[in-house]
Amino acid sequence: MKLLLITAVFIFSGFVHAAELSLEPYHNARILFQSSGETDDYLFALGSYKKIAGSWRLDRQQRLSGNLTRYTVELPEGHSASKGFDFYLDQLQNFNLRELFHCNGRDCGTSNSWANNHFKILQLYGLDQFQQYGAYEVINADAKPFYVALYAVQRGNKRVYLQLDIVHVDRVNEQGIAANPESIIRALDSSGYYVFPDLLTGDAQGVMTINIKPAHLQALVDVLKSRPEWTLAIVGHDYSPVPLAVQQKNSHAYAEQLKTAVQEAGIGADRLVSYGVGGLAPAGKGDRTARVELVKIYRQ
């Protein structure tokens, strides 16, 4: 089966080929536009379009540089915008995916803003109530993530169009690109856990710690402030090739590090509890050597 593969290398036969991020194209969809090349100023939407001082503007955004691959497709007749959106999102979930923002219908703002101001593709101008947008981060082994913008809309003539923009960044944002707090809340409500996005780093002596970026920490603090009734378990995982007791000690240290940072940001200690399970929960490991998860727990 042919795959839609994203990279900075080349395009042929209507498909983009790349290392590490492969997506199957929507069956019988018609590709209207496609392009691939370097960008130093891609506007990555991390929020809705809202009317500010008389004009429609994004309430949250990030500028990215790297290789940008873009696809505009028309779905077959009778296929809905939500079906097209879910088709690509389901595939993205096979990777180490983190939702940064999602909106649906009129909560996204006006379709005109997305079509003409943001993507600058007039075919994407449709009905506000039949639109959906998502912003995602895909972590891969080289530590330079992919950022994915996915937009789907139905026009008044029932035709459905989908935009897929993927940026493989050329450098890692040192401050971090945080998820919208509502996305974190949705993950905790729906699945009961959320993987904290920061990666492990080692010092000259080989001591490993998690690199807590300010934006990610603030998003977590905002979640806890907006949900004062919540208590979270911070669960560390370690998959290094060492005895289980050492894994558990290391993973608990990762959890304690994040717990301390959250407390120092103003969250009470009674709302957080830390655990280290070592390598005993390998599901969801992916290519990570370690991870820290936030798990929603219930008070007695």
Side-chain angles (χ1 to χ4, degrees), residues 1 4 25 40 43 106 144 156 216:
M1 178 181 293
L4 175 69
D40 60 2
L43 180 62
R106 291 187 173 90
K144 293 179 181 176
H216 297 158

Side-chain angles (χ1 to χ4, degrees), residues 48-50 56 103-111 114 127-132:
S48 299
Y49 271 90
K50 296 181 178 178
W56 290 92
C103 64
N104 200 1
R106 291 187 173 90
D107 288 341
C108 297
T110 65
S111 177
W114 290 101
L127 302 173
D128 295 347
Q129 66 270 35
F130 295 125
Q131 63 177 337
Q132 193 169 177

Side-chain angles (χ1 to χ4, degrees), residues 217-239:
L217 178 62
Q218 187 58 53
L220 175 55
V221 170
D222 290 344
V223 166
L224 286 163
K225 287 181 177 179
S226 70
R227 293 294 188 275
E229 73 281 9
W230 279 12
T231 299
L232 296 183
I234 302 177
V235 184
H237 303 254
D238 184 86
Y239 308 109

Side-chain angles (χ1 to χ4, degrees), residues 60-252:
R60 189 164 168 260
Q61 63 190 44
Q62 180 73 42
R63 298 283 180 176
L64 301 176
S65 63
N67 181 261
L68 170 63
T69 299
R70 309 190 76 198
Y71 269 82
T72 308
V73 301
E74 180 182 347
L75 300 192
E77 184 177 352
H79 292 237
S80 67
S82 60
K83 185 174 181 180
F85 189 96
D86 290 344
F87 175 82
Y88 286 102
L89 180 57
D90 287 347
Q91 293 184 72
L92 289 169
Q93 288 172 340
N94 293 324
F95 301 94
N96 290 335
L97 184 71
R98 186 166 65 99
E99 180 185 292
L100 302 176
F101 174 72
H102 177 266
C103 64
N104 200 1
R106 291 187 173 90
D107 288 341
C108 297
T110 65
S111 177
N112 178 58
S113 296
W114 290 101
N116 296 318
N117 299 338
H118 189 76
F119 294 114
K120 296 179 171 42
I121 297 172
L122 62 86
Q123 285 85 352
L124 297 175
Y125 180 23
L127 302 173
D128 295 347
Q129 66 270 35
F130 295 125
Q131 63 177 337
Q132 193 169 177
Y133 174 79
Y136 306 95
E137 178 186 69
V138 177
I139 298 295
N140 63 101
D142 72 1
K144 293 179 181 176
F146 292 91
Y147 289 100
V148 181
L150 184 60
Y151 180 75
V153 67
Q154 176 183 305
R155 293 172 62 104
N157 59 9
K158 305 295 185 181
R159 291 183 179 179
V160 173
Y161 295 90
L162 185 141
Q163 182 70 24
L164 178 66
D165 286 2
I166 301 180
V167 182
H168 193 188
V169 295
D170 52 19
R171 60 182 179 273
V172 177
N173 187 304
E174 294 303 321
Q175 296 298 311
I177 299 179
N180 185 293
E182 288 301 319
S183 291
I184 300 175
I185 290 169
R186 183 163 51 251
L188 287 164
D189 276 335
S190 62
S191 62
Y193 74 95
Y194 175 78
V195 179
F196 194 74
D198 290 334
L199 302 175
L200 287 179
T201 58
D203 62 17
Q205 288 72 44
V207 177
M208 303 300 293
T209 59
I210 57 172
N211 178 21
I212 301 175
K213 295 182 178 179
H216 297 158
L217 178 62
Q218 187 58 53
L220 175 55
V221 170
D222 290 344
V223 166
L224 286 163
K225 287 181 177 179
S226 70
R227 293 294 188 275
E229 73 281 9
W230 279 12
T231 299
L232 296 183
I234 302 177
V235 184
H237 303 254
D238 184 86
Y239 308 109
S240 56
V242 296
L244 177 60
V246 178
Q247 286 183 339
Q248 290 175 322
K249 179 181 178 181
N250 292 343
S251 59
H252 188 254

